Amino acid sequence: MSPYSQSSRTIIVTGASAGVGRAIAHRFARAHDRIGLIARDEAALRDVQQELQAMGAEAEYEAIDVADADAMFEAAERLEQRLGKIDIWVNDAMETLFSTVAETHPDEFRRVTEVCYLGFVHGTMAALKSMRPRRRGRIIQIGSALAYRGIPLQAAYCGAKHAIRGFTDALRTELLHEGSGIIVSIVDLPAVNTPQFDWARAHTRNSPRPMGQPVQPEVVADAVFRVARRSAREYWLGWQTLTTILANTIAPAWLDHYLAQKAIAGQQTNTRLVPGREDNLDHPVTRLHRTHGSFDAISASRAPLVSGEVARAGSVIAGAAVFFALGALAARRQGR
């Protein structure tokens, strides 16, 4: 057992072999928490485990596909036996596909949905099995601005993220009805510089890239670490997330036309997609399991984190102030 085991927490992270999940595992390990790692690729998970152990953290892993509910439940039980009762569960596992709807095969839609949506459902259910008898714990869903605003070329991913938000809202009300102390939060992200752009399946002319300026995975990890000590229902990370969600609330039709003009080219580099490029939709790509993607040069190392409630209230107050100022200006002109 780790020398920190008496005061540390047990954290389970899905999608822990690369990108955001790997960064989150590192962040909690630095706090000497006990880390349970879940992903498909055993070799990559072993690497992450060794990284965390080198930091002095206790770490165990289970190489399973989050789309397999029984495997998820069994993995959670084994991790709990080795690490202790689960305090925090972070659902992060994801896959995406860059393709128009017309060029996407139904099996590709199914696979993205099984991982990005049902993987979160299965993880949440596994967490609840541990937490509900104790009536405490935290579940953190890694969401996206695309849970509010769908964009071209990522219909499968956007649909799954929308579904996660609906599922989580329903669960939260059930826990409130029970009087449970379990806290469920969503952290909605902007684009992030992870390997997803290097290994995602793509039916596009050029290779994929993040839309706008991405943030580094460590920015997300720090945000999730802070959220683990807070209790709001939803958090928005980065100006891109905040402006996307609010713009879609105020002017969704305008955003339809803007994205139609900008988002197809905006999600592609100038480099032609290599024919037969290996992707991770059906199997892991071990050699690409790392924390950062290929866009370090343009990625931000910090971003604001605000609760959704505060952001919405702030936008209402700002809007009211603008209208008040316009009204006052009009009244002055009429008085002249």
Side-chain angles (χ1 to χ4, degrees), residues 2 29 35 58 61 80-81 83 114 129-130 155 180 225 250 252 276 289 299 325 336:
S2 162
I35 316 297
E58 186 175 358
Y61 69 81
E80 190 169 56
Q81 289 169 4
L83 294 172
E114 286 178 346
K129 285 187 176 184
S130 174
S180 175
F225 186 79
I250 298 168
H289 277 88
S299 297
R336 290 178 178 174

Side-chain angles (χ1 to χ4, degrees), residues 144-151 154 157-159 161-162 189 244 267:
S144 171
L146 304 188
Y148 286 88
R149 173 67 242 185
I151 63 174
Q154 292 203 64
Y157 178 80
C158 293
K161 288 299 183 182
H162 274 72
L189 308 184
T244 297
Q267 293 182 85

Side-chain angles (χ1 to χ4, degrees), residues 22-97:
R22 194 167 186 155
I24 289 171
H26 275 246
R27 182 63 188 86
F28 281 99
R30 289 202 300 274
H32 307 303
D33 288 315
R34 301 179 297 272
I35 316 297
L37 310 165
I38 293 177
R40 289 180 298 176
D41 193 319
E42 184 169 5
L45 286 172
R46 192 180 303 116
D47 288 343
V48 181
Q49 180 191 42
Q50 292 172 356
E51 292 167 359
L52 304 187
Q53 289 172 341
M55 299 166 65
E58 186 175 358
E60 300 286 346
Y61 69 81
E62 288 288 333
I64 60 104
D65 189 335
V66 299
D68 184 334
D70 290 337
M72 177 75 89
F73 301 154
E74 292 166 4
E77 290 179 3
R78 290 192 294 267
L79 288 172
E80 190 169 56
Q81 289 169 4
R82 302 202 294 271
L83 294 172
K85 295 294 184 182
I86 299 169
D87 298 299
I88 301 171
W89 186 290
V90 182
N91 280 311
D92 172 65
M94 65 84 70
E95 287 187 348
T96 192
L97 168 76

Side-chain angles (χ1 to χ4, degrees), residues 234-275:
E234 185 176 20
Y235 294 87
W236 298 351
L237 179 65
W239 293 113
Q240 187 182 54
T241 299
L242 192 148
T243 56
T244 297
I245 295 174
L246 294 180
N248 191 64
T249 301
I250 298 168
W254 175 84
L255 208 51
D256 288 343
H257 290 280
Y258 174 81
L259 291 168
Q261 294 175 3
K262 301 292 186 180
I264 299 292
Q267 293 182 85
Q268 297 181 67
T269 67
N270 294 324
T271 304
R272 293 294 291 271
L273 188 70
V274 177

